[in-house]
Amino acid sequence: MIQKTQVRLFGVDAPELNHPYGKKAKWALVSLCKGQVITAEVTEKDVHGRTVAKCSLPDGRDISAEMVKIGMAIDWPKFSGGKYKSMELPDVRKKLWLADARQNGRMHVWEKFEAQERARGKG
């Protein structure tokens, strides 16, 4: 959130909070940004009306790149043009398999996970 606006990081995909590694990704982002002034260059509103922005830390580091480098997000070439692909950790797409499934149009994998979580009372 930046001034009460939920912002999606440009060019990357990270796990949803209720997905594997979702909470770890959230806290990694909090740790990276907490107490700092973040610069957000809005690039667009996505198809769901959410704000997408290129965000950077005071020292100029790209927050999307930082999240990819620590294995808490993966490049989304459809939106980034492949900008962050070379920064991905080995096997990160196996770890963040639901984000990878979403990018590759395998929403049945996503839906199956969500249904299992609901059945367990977690979703």
Side-chain angles (χ1 to χ4, degrees), residues 16-43:
E16 302 295 327
L17 270 177
N18 65 326
H19 289 179
Y21 297 97
K23 288 183 178 75
K24 284 186 179 194
K26 173 192 173 178
W27 291 112
L29 183 61
V30 168
S31 177
L32 189 62
C33 299
K34 189 171 183 167
Q36 300 197 59
V37 176
I38 304 302
T39 302
E41 176 191 333
V42 176
T43 58

Side-chain angles (χ1 to χ4, degrees), residues 54-81:
K54 292 179 181 177
C55 299
S56 56
L57 295 163
D59 63 7
R61 286 181 294 154
D62 177 337
I63 294 173
S64 293
E66 295 304 309
M67 290 296 288
V68 171
K69 288 176 189 176
I70 62 171
M72 290 291 113
I74 56 176
D75 180 54
W76 198 330
K78 176 180 174 180
F79 300 107
S80 74

